Amino acid sequence: QALEVYALGMPSYCLRTARALGNLAFEQQHYELARKNYQRAFDARDILLHESFSRASKQTELGEAQNLPPRAAYACVKCNDVKGAIAVLEKGRAQLMRESLERRWLEELPGLGFKDLYEQYTQAAKQYESIERMNGGKNAGSDDLSLQVKQASDAVQTALVAIREKVGKEYPQYRYFMEALPLDEMRSLARDSL
């Protein structure tokens, strides 16, 4: 229960705790418990990725959960959930591939005629990262800093929604830009990139 609270309020702590509990359960061959904790770690990672706007932040979050997909898949197989194992492996692979594609797609926006959206996003992301650096990446302590973080995050989210809506009308790959993909979309991306 504590991990569920952590996932919403402190996803980085939830990720580390759930990963450690999952690994402990895995080593003790309690695969159902390992599977549940790995899923909590993935949920926390997804929240962190959603809140991470810089390449460095995303690489850090992906690194925290790097070895989890194979272990989680193994735990799924041991629990007779082969479909779950395949989904975990596909999602892990697709997430890495997607990070690479999204960097490229972002850089392509000006050439597609969406320079204004590119600039809106990059300015908002830089502002957010600047506030994070001033705060040292910790939870905001003062009300003023909390407000600045929220405003900067809202500006980034507004830019992302605009990219998804405006660019996504003409270029379908942008419909889920920097957002969690449904499994069918992940499979489609994986097939298209081969």
Side-chain angles (χ1 to χ4, degrees):
Q1 289 178 346
L3 286 180
E4 291 168 13
V5 172
Y6 267 148
L8 296 175
M10 296 181 270
S12 60
Y13 294 119
C14 179
L15 173 58
R16 286 192 289 273
T17 303
R19 182 188 62 209
L21 289 172
N23 287 342
L24 178 63
F26 188 91
E27 297 303 324
Q28 298 294 318
Q29 298 181 355
H30 297 292
Y31 296 112
E32 184 60 36
L33 185 59
R35 184 170 75 152
K36 286 179 183 177
N37 280 294
Y38 287 146
Q39 184 55 53
R40 286 185 181 119
F42 292 139
D43 293 344
R45 180 206 58 199
D46 290 346
I47 291 169
L48 287 165
L49 285 172
H50 182 71
E51 294 175 353
S52 298
F53 305 119
S54 72
R55 182 177 179 195
S57 294
K58 287 189 180 220
Q59 286 176 333
T60 299
E61 304 313 338
L62 288 170
E64 286 283 329
Q66 185 176 12
N67 71 339
L68 295 185
R71 293 174 74 95
Y74 185 84
C76 286
V77 168
K78 293 300 259 182
C79 294
N80 296 316
D81 182 10
V82 176
K83 285 184 180 182
I86 292 169
V88 164
L89 290 173
E90 276 191 28
K91 188 173 182 179
R93 183 177 64 123
Q95 186 65 49
L96 292 172
M97 180 177 46
R98 184 170 178 212
E99 292 302 316
S100 174
L101 288 172
E102 284 180 342
R103 282 192 302 276
R104 188 181 79 204
W105 292 341
L106 182 63
E107 293 166 2
E108 290 176 353
L109 281 174
L112 297 174
F114 296 98
K115 184 178 181 184
D116 58 327
L117 292 176
Y118 172 80
E119 289 174 354
Q120 179 185 352
Y121 172 79
T122 54
Q123 284 180 325
K126 284 178 185 174
Q127 178 66 26
Y128 182 87
E129 291 167 18
S130 172
I131 292 169
E132 269 198 335
R133 273 193 309 276
M134 285 189 312
N135 191 33
K138 302 172 191 156
N139 287 338
S142 72
D143 290 339
D144 183 50
L145 186 58
S146 294
L147 180 62
Q148 288 179 29
V149 169
K150 180 171 179 358
Q151 288 172 338
S153 177
D154 288 348
V156 171
Q157 291 304 324
T158 298
L160 289 172
V161 167
I163 290 170
R164 289 181 204 124
E165 290 176 357
K166 293 177 183 174
V167 184
K169 284 181 183 176
E170 293 181 46
Y171 303 94
Q173 69 268 31
Y174 287 90
R175 288 178 302 150
Y176 298 101
F177 186 69
M178 293 193 186
E179 183 177 59
L181 283 175
L183 187 57
D184 290 343
E185 289 287 331
M186 281 187 225
R187 286 186 182 132
S188 175
L189 266 178
R191 276 192 305 273
D192 292 347
S193 70
L194 296 177

